[in-house]
Amino acid sequence: MYSSFNNWVRLQLNTKASNLMDQYRVFGNPIAQSKSPFIHQQFALQTKQSLNYQSELVELGKFDVAIKSLIATEGKGANVTAPFKEQAFALCDELSERAKLAGAVNTLTFSEGIIYGDTTDGIGLVTDLLNHKVQLRNSRILLLGAGGAAKGVVQSLLEQSPKSLTIANRTLSKAQAIIQHYPDNTISALTFADTEHLTFDVIINATSVGLSGASLPIANQTIKSSVACYDMVYGREQTDFLKQAKNLGVAQVIDGLGMLVGQAAASFQIWTGINPDVDPVLAALRAQLT
Ligand code: ATR
């Protein structure tokens, strides 16, 4: 049964003659810092696509309105960032399997009266790790955090057939709730303290700790045991977690800029069918950061 919102969308998408440039948006709050418009404009130039991609600040509680107005004005798709990923999920008529598992979407596609939802964060993360030659198959992976950022990447990590995927979180119940969705005995949930005497090959920070200035309660010996540490956060300065890992001699410390470009590339491919080259765009963004 469709809601009146979905009926409205179907009517708009079925009756519109497309003679303007395809419109794309990234919706969030805040959004001013978003690099997505730059990334998608670069992808469009590189692949000779004619599209207009802009960021749009959406007032809390007005997400439906923003989607409606985009669809009414030649909107073909949108990226969605915090705090609207769950609301976007709820608006979709159809969802990818990985979006269903994540319970959130970052990519909406408007086509033939239908809103399709997908999540590309996991692809972005895995692609970036593999681009850095980090081995995931048969590896013991520790994922720190159990919020939206962590949820969005679990399925993609499991698809790489790790030996184990351990989700550690300050609030254990949230990590336990995630693993219930995966009938896979390689996945488990722990507290940070539980990880103290364990060793891992790859440690991925999906908490918001890098943003808040607090430090992660992960033992030095646990960090030291890994060959790669990844932080989904990026910035001009290396995060405290990556600095700590580097000081402890971890061979590879990687920030989340490549994940950002990778998730954008996967969205771009969903919309246009073209897989853009991430390397020049990543290099340009890296240069802007330094
Ligand atoms: P996001 O969508 O970015 O993942 P979120 O859903 O608010 O944001 O999740 C934030 C994550 O960072 C959670 O795993 C949170 O732990 P809790 O589930 O226990 O709240 C984690 N986090 C935030 N601040 C933290 C801190 N100071 N120490 C440890 N973990 C923290």
Side-chain angles (χ1 to χ4, degrees):
M1 186 71 135
Y2 282 106
S3 65
S4 60
F5 176 86
N6 297 89
N7 278 331
W8 180 90
V9 168
R10 286 160 74 84
L11 191 68
Q12 290 293 312
L13 292 172
N14 283 329
T15 54
K16 203 146 38 81
S18 185
N19 51 14
L20 295 172
M21 195 184 269
D22 290 348
Q23 297 293 321
Y24 295 88
R25 295 287 180 274
V26 55
F27 293 121
N29 187 338
I31 199 64
Q33 81 299 344
S34 175
K35 306 209 178 301
S36 294
F38 173 79
I39 296 171
H40 281 277
Q41 281 150 19
Q42 295 300 308
F43 288 160
L45 278 172
Q46 185 195 101
T47 61
K48 302 191 170 38
Q49 296 297 297
S50 170
L51 58 85
N52 179 25
Y53 185 114
Q54 289 175 29
S55 63
E56 188 172 321
L57 179 71
V58 178
E59 271 178 58
L60 303 179
K62 297 260 174 78
F63 185 69
D64 286 26
V65 179
I67 293 289
K68 270 192 180 185
S69 97
L70 176 58
I71 290 172
T73 52
E74 300 295 324
K76 291 290 186 290
N79 283 131
V80 182
T81 187
F84 300 115
K85 288 184 181 184
E86 281 85 6
Q87 285 177 53
F89 175 89
L91 286 182
C92 291
D93 301 294
E94 290 188 15
L95 291 157
S96 67
E97 282 310 306
R98 55 185 182 233
K100 283 183 201 163
L101 284 164
V105 301
N106 75 339
T107 306
L108 296 173
T109 308
F110 314 126
S111 172
E112 296 173 5
I114 297 283
I115 302 179
Y116 296 92
D118 204 342
T119 176
T120 62
D121 291 329
I123 304 175
L125 171 68
V126 165
T127 309
D128 196 37
L129 284 164
L130 296 178
N131 283 346
H132 283 89
K133 310 261 183 292
V134 175
Q135 187 180 326
L136 298 174
R137 182 171 300 278
N138 255 325
S139 290
R140 296 158 306 167
I141 302 175
L142 174 62
L143 180 62
L144 305 172
K151 257 188 242 174
V153 301
V154 169
Q155 173 63 14
S156 298
L157 288 172
L158 285 175
E159 282 168 11
Q160 295 300 308
S161 308
K163 190 174 194 176
S164 62
L165 175 61
T166 306
I167 305 180
N169 197 44
R170 179 175 61 181
T171 313
L172 178 61
S173 57
K174 285 210 224 158
Q176 286 170 331
I178 296 179
I179 71 169
Q180 276 173 9
H181 294 285
Y182 299 89
D184 191 319
N185 56 17
T186 58
I187 190 168
S188 60
L190 297 178
T191 63
F192 289 131
D194 292 334
T195 65
E196 197 177 334
H197 300 293
L198 300 178
T199 54
F200 299 92
D201 304 302
V202 181
I203 304 179
I204 300 164
N205 180 26
T207 70
S208 50
V209 168
L211 299 166
S212 66
S215 69
L216 275 165
I218 295 294
N220 279 348
Q221 65 212 39
T222 304
I223 296 176
K224 213 172 169 172
S225 69
S226 67
V227 292
C229 285
Y230 194 99
D231 202 323
M232 290 191 188
V233 173
Y234 62 86
R236 202 175 292 269
E237 285 263 319
Q238 212 164 35
T239 63
D240 287 345
F241 170 57
L242 293 188
K243 277 186 196 153
Q244 187 183 359
K246 200 172 175 187
N247 289 337
L248 290 166
V250 174
Q252 288 207 81
V253 296
I254 309 162
D255 73 11
L257 196 63
M259 174 177 172
L260 174 77
V261 183
Q263 63 78 29
S267 295
F268 190 86
Q269 185 170 31
I270 289 169
W271 294 327
T272 64
I274 302 169
N275 190 12
D277 184 1
V278 296
D279 289 344
V281 182
L282 189 50
L285 277 175
R286 185 67 73 193
Q288 287 175 17
L289 275 184
T290 49

